[in-house]
Amino acid sequence: MANRKILILGANGFIGSSLVWKILTDTDWEVVGADLSDNKITESLKNPRFKFSKKDIVKDRDWVEEQVKECDTVLPLVAIATPALYVKDPLRVYRLDYEANMEIVKMCVAHRKRLIFPSTSEVYGMCPDEFFDEYKSNLVLGPIEKERWIYSCIKQMLDRVIWAYGNHEGLQFTLFRPFNFIGPKQDDIKAPQEGASRVLTQFSHNIINGKTIKLVDGGKQKRAFTFIDDAMDCMLKILENKGGCADGKIFNIGNPYQEYSIRELAEMLVELVGEYPEYAENAKNAKIEIVPSEDYYGKGYQDVSRRMPSIKQAEEILGWKPATDLRTAMKLTLDYHLLGKDYELERAK
Ligand code: UDP
């Protein structure tokens, strides 16, 4: 594969850290990374093909622009992507996710770089389609007072601007839409940000610490969970871009074969945590409480009852298919946090 130089902003995030690792282990490309911290990339930092700097994309704009000029492909992965924060601090989400990222989109246009941009499964909002289709589904958002939708709306606008730059000013781009990625480096289940973590982190934390699991609105809402490794296989195919197959396209990255309700997720997790002797007692005594979403998240919240990707695009164009079931994905995540077992490192040995 021809040598490439990829810029990953947000290299220490969940997707960023996993992608840096994937690129360094599966290709001979160079990676330039930036983030505020580096705790998830300690292994990757040892690789001479990875150049990392502690930078803030908002404050270090000039530095970012220099890197954009030096690299051929840009992945701006810096964003707040936690529903609880959309409601608590929508302006922080706006400033970072929209304003700061739009600057980087413009840099890619100005310097004619390939842009691979994270859209989101949230853009489909409350779309009633059985399978969300990148090109056919309507994007359905709630009223303005439901502040949850600010993230979805920001990402939709970015999608539309990037699409327009592609169509009218020749920007080479690909948009990808993650559907509930899960895996070891998502957040630390031993120290979740109270009320601000993704569901798997929060539930795991509560079970291992003997705290009650809070099922928002009864937990009937469903999600299709995608193991990070499967997602990274897809991302690598997008990056490879054989014959330009990913140019100007949108890809859902999700696992439609692993749809579970949030209640089912809670029950499966209790069972799995019960398999670790140190936490078996707490798992046995785990309690589930139903809480109204308004109490849990506040007034500005509105849930998505079902979020199911169509992955026909990724299957047909990229030849990708997810392979990991939810139970295995959760087990690998729990092993990482509870036993300190890192499957990535073990596999690389
Ligand atoms: N949820 C819950 N209890 C919690 C945290 C989340 O019942 O302690 C629910 C939440 O209301 C949503 C689902 O779990 O329906 C998934 O939430 P997450 O924050 O992971 O992200 P989302 O899939 O909504 O983007």
Side-chain angles (χ1 to χ4, degrees):
M1 233 174 290
N3 202 20
R4 298 196 194 163
K5 203 166 177 184
I6 317 270
L7 175 61
I8 302 187
L9 302 169
N12 191 53
F14 177 38
I15 297 179
S17 60
S18 308
L19 189 61
V20 169
W21 177 261
K22 180 82 181 163
I23 295 173
L24 294 175
T25 40
D26 286 20
T27 75
D28 57 3
W29 306 340
E30 286 172 63
V31 181
V32 177
D35 209 314
L36 299 173
S37 44
D38 58 8
N39 59 307
K40 294 182 186 176
I41 46 177
T42 43
E43 283 305 313
S44 296
L45 285 172
K46 296 175 190 161
N47 191 312
R49 281 184 289 120
F50 182 41
K51 300 266 177 311
F52 177 80
S53 305
K54 273 197 188 165
K55 297 284 177 189
D56 179 334
I57 63 155
V58 180
K59 294 191 189 126
D60 301 305
R61 195 189 171 281
D62 292 347
W63 180 88
V64 171
E65 186 149 19
E66 279 313 303
Q67 309 314 307
V68 169
K69 283 188 203 161
E70 294 285 311
C71 293
D72 41 70
T73 305
V74 180
L75 285 115
L77 303 179
V78 175
I80 295 167
T82 316
L85 284 173
Y86 312 157
V87 180
K88 264 196 204 101
D89 203 348
L91 288 175
R92 201 177 132 210
V93 176
Y94 170 74
R95 289 186 193 113
L96 183 69
D97 293 15
Y98 188 80
E99 292 189 332
N101 277 287
M102 194 59 94
E103 289 291 307
I104 293 158
V105 170
K106 288 184 203 158
M107 289 176 198
C108 292
V109 176
H111 302 297
R112 308 201 70 78
K113 301 297 174 174
R114 180 174 180 219
L115 172 67
I116 301 180
F117 198 82
S119 176
T120 170
S121 52
E122 277 260 330
V123 292
Y124 299 104
M126 297 174 291
C127 174
D129 296 355
E130 193 182 351
F131 291 92
F132 298 168
D133 182 288
E134 296 93 332
Y135 299 99
K136 294 193 194 116
S137 287
N138 289 324
L139 312 179
V140 183
L141 307 191
I144 300 300
E145 64 166 10
K146 296 294 181 195
E147 291 181 307
R148 187 228 166 98
W149 301 113
I150 195 162
Y151 174 75
S152 172
C153 187
I154 286 167
K155 287 287 190 179
Q156 184 185 151
M157 186 63 184
L158 282 156
D159 285 3
R160 291 188 188 277
V161 171
I162 292 167
W163 183 273
Y165 272 127
N167 265 346
H168 301 276
E169 297 191 10
L171 174 69
Q172 187 188 6
F173 75 93
T174 304
L175 297 171
F176 65 94
R177 295 185 172 155
F179 280 70
N180 289 84
F181 289 1
I182 56 167
K185 296 199 178 118
Q186 186 162 27
D187 326 273
D188 187 352
I189 64 176
K190 293 199 171 143
Q193 297 159 280
E194 203 46 60
S197 289
R198 308 298 297 241
V199 65
L200 189 73
T201 314
Q202 195 61 56
F203 285 0
S204 310
H205 173 80
N206 290 19
I207 302 166
I208 63 175
N209 291 295
K211 295 183 192 164
T212 303
I213 296 172
K214 293 186 175 162
L215 269 189
V216 172
D217 293 336
K220 282 202 280 293
Q221 59 278 40
K222 290 182 173 171
R223 296 291 187 272
F225 293 94
T226 314
F227 189 47
I228 188 74
D229 264 25
D230 290 338
M232 291 308 105
D233 285 343
C234 189
M235 290 294 301
L236 198 66
K237 285 177 186 283
I238 290 175
L239 274 163
E240 280 168 352
N241 196 23
K242 283 194 186 128
C245 68
D247 287 339
K249 303 253 165 51
I250 309 173
F251 294 99
N252 288 339
I253 306 182
N255 192 338
Y257 313 105
Q258 294 299 317
E259 190 191 39
Y260 289 88
S261 73
I262 300 302
R263 178 180 280 278
E264 286 168 331
L265 179 82
E267 289 166 354
M268 203 192 284
L269 254 182
V270 169
E271 211 182 294
L272 279 174
V273 173
E275 293 172 10
Y276 297 81
E278 201 182 326
Y279 304 101
E281 191 61 23
N282 280 350
K284 211 173 89 198
N285 298 322
K287 285 190 189 54
I288 291 181
E289 179 196 351
I290 293 175
V291 284
S293 55
E294 209 174 297
D295 294 353
Y296 190 83
Y297 288 108
K299 265 207 175 95
Y301 186 73
Q302 195 166 24
D303 213 329
V304 173
S305 58
R306 191 154 183 261
R307 183 189 285 154
M308 174 63 110
S310 154
I311 53 165
K312 265 206 340 242
Q313 292 292 322
E315 281 178 340
E316 287 169 11
I317 297 174
L318 304 171
W320 171 81
K321 210 182 174 88
T324 315
D325 62 84
L326 178 61
R327 186 174 284 272
T328 307
M330 292 203 300
K331 181 90 185 131
L332 289 168
T333 306
L334 290 172
D335 279 354
Y336 177 82
H337 291 291
L338 304 182
L339 305 178
K341 259 171 80 176
D342 190 332
Y343 71 94
E344 282 182 336
L345 276 183
E346 284 175 17
R347 199 179 296 156
K349 269 179 202 159

